[in-house]
């Protein structure tokens, strides 16, 4: 079975705090892909990152970083020094080589950054 | 490149009416899909297509039809609208399956 769990429904932080959004996945595939998308209040879905299962190196892009750990089936997303513009709903997604032709999305984490 | 476009942006229907949500992409992507987004439920796949002439059902296909006569277009048809179909609909495309999906701006549908 393929499943993505984002247990944090809503998070509020004060501006400049660091925040980590959790993503736990389930898959029987040995080759799979993980994604994060951002949905700001304007409603569009913005691609942030794609990682494949063979690349466990952490990734940093400006204030964003991602921690991929196969041992715990997690792909967590950290925002450092959060800003009001980071307020959005963030979705984690999974696509595997044997999942059929589908992406599996988590239910999302709504992040509010308070000025 | 316009990317993925969707029309209309907003639509109000009465129960029982039919309509077509349009989706087009100009990136020559093989894979296209339709999702609906409801509060607390994330994105749920309605239908998808891996190429022109090939479509298949996703997680929540009932009440919707699709066709893919060209690589660029992937319309979603509501056969007889019901209040349960009130939602935000997103179309997405990717070069191939498993590649990054790029989303359209969404269509907000209200069924009265």
């Amino acid at each position: 079975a393929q499943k993505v769990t984002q247990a944090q429904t809503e998070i509020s932080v004060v501006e400049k705090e660091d925040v980590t959004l959790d993503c736990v996945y389930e898959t029987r595939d040995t080759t799979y892909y993980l994604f994060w998308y951002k949905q700001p209040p304007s409603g569009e879905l913005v691609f942030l990152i794609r990682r494949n299962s063979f690349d466990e190196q952490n990734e940093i892009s400006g204030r964003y970083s991602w921690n991929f750990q196969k041992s715990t089936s997690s792909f967590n997303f950290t925002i450092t020094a959060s800003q009001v513009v980071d307020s959005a709903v963030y979705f984690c997604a999974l696509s595997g080589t044997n999942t059929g032709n589908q992406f599996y999305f988590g239910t999302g984490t709504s992040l509010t950054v308070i000025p | 490149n316009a990317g993925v476009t969707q029309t209309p942006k907003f639509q109000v229907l009465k129960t029982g009416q039919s309509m077509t949500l349009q989706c087009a992409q100009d990136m020559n992507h093989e894979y296209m899909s339709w999702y609906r987004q409801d509060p607390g439920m994330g994105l749920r796949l309605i239908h998808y297509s891996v190429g022109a002439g090939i479509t298949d059902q996703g997680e929540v296909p009932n009440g919707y039809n699709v066709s893919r006569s060209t690589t660029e277009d992937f319309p979603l048809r509501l056969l007889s609208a019901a209040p349960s179909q009130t939602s935000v609909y997103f179309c997405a495309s990717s070069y191939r399956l498993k590649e990054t999906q790029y989303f359209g701006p969404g269509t907000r549908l209200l069924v009265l």
Side-chain angles (χ1 to χ4, degrees):
Chain A
Q2 319 292 330
K3 187 178 179 182
V4 176
T5 300
Q6 294 180 256
Q8 303 153 308
T9 306
E10 295 180 1
I11 300 177
S12 291
V13 298
V14 176
E15 199 171 22
K16 298 185 182 177
E17 286 184 343
D18 299 347
V19 59
T20 295
L21 310 183
D22 298 332
C23 173
V24 174
Y25 61 91
E26 296 176 28
T27 180
R28 284 196 287 258
D29 292 334
T30 55
T31 301
Y32 51 90
Y33 302 86
L34 296 162
F35 304 81
W36 276 96
Y37 286 85
K38 174 182 180 180
Q39 186 176 41
S42 52
E44 72 272 24
L45 283 151
V46 179
F47 164 73
L48 295 178
I49 190 170
R50 170 182 183 261
R51 299 306 296 270
N52 72 56
S53 52
F54 294 108
D55 184 1
E56 286 194 72
Q57 282 193 350
N58 291 336
E59 175 127 358
I60 298 175
S61 176
R63 295 183 297 106
Y64 294 173
S65 63
W66 290 269
N67 183 356
F68 176 30
Q69 291 196 346
K70 289 179 76 171
S71 60
T72 56
S73 297
S74 64
F75 186 42
N76 296 338
F77 173 29
T78 297
I79 302 174
T80 303
S82 60
Q83 300 176 1
V84 173
V85 293
D86 296 326
S87 296
V89 180
Y90 292 87
F91 292 97
C92 181
L94 165 71
S95 177
T97 51
N98 294 312
T99 59
N101 299 316
Q102 299 192 25
F103 278 63
Y104 294 85
F105 282 86
T107 51
T109 297
S110 177
L111 174 65
T112 300
V113 181
I114 303 166
Chain B
N1 272 357
V4 181
T5 58
Q6 291 183 237
T7 55
K9 290 186 178 179
F10 180 71
Q11 183 72 47
V12 179
L13 290 179
K14 295 181 180 178
T15 296
Q17 287 184 318
S18 62
M19 80 159 293
T20 298
L21 308 185
Q22 301 291 345
C23 174
Q25 53 90 11
D26 60 359
M27 298 175 282
N28 200 31
H29 283 174
E30 292 182 358
Y31 184 86
M32 296 185 74
S33 53
W34 277 102
Y35 295 86
R36 60 177 289 172
Q37 183 179 21
D38 303 292
M41 303 191 75
L43 290 151
R44 293 185 292 168
L45 182 66
I46 304 171
H47 285 285
Y48 62 92
S49 170
V50 298
I54 306 170
T55 64
D56 206 344
Q57 297 180 350
E59 179 185 357
V60 289
N62 292 341
Y64 307 96
N65 265 358
V66 292
S67 59
R68 183 101 179 265
S69 56
T70 67
T71 299
E72 294 79 18
D73 301 299
F74 191 43
L76 178 72
R77 297 182 186 84
L78 279 70
L79 309 172
S80 177
S84 60
Q85 294 179 304
T86 293
S87 188
V88 180
Y89 292 85
F90 288 97
C91 179
S93 75
S94 60
Y95 179 61
R96 285 184 307 230
L97 183 62
K98 314 308 178 188
E99 298 288 333
T100 300
Q101 289 195 90
Y102 294 94
F103 285 83
T107 294
R108 189 173 295 273
L109 178 67
L110 175 62
V111 182
L112 302 175

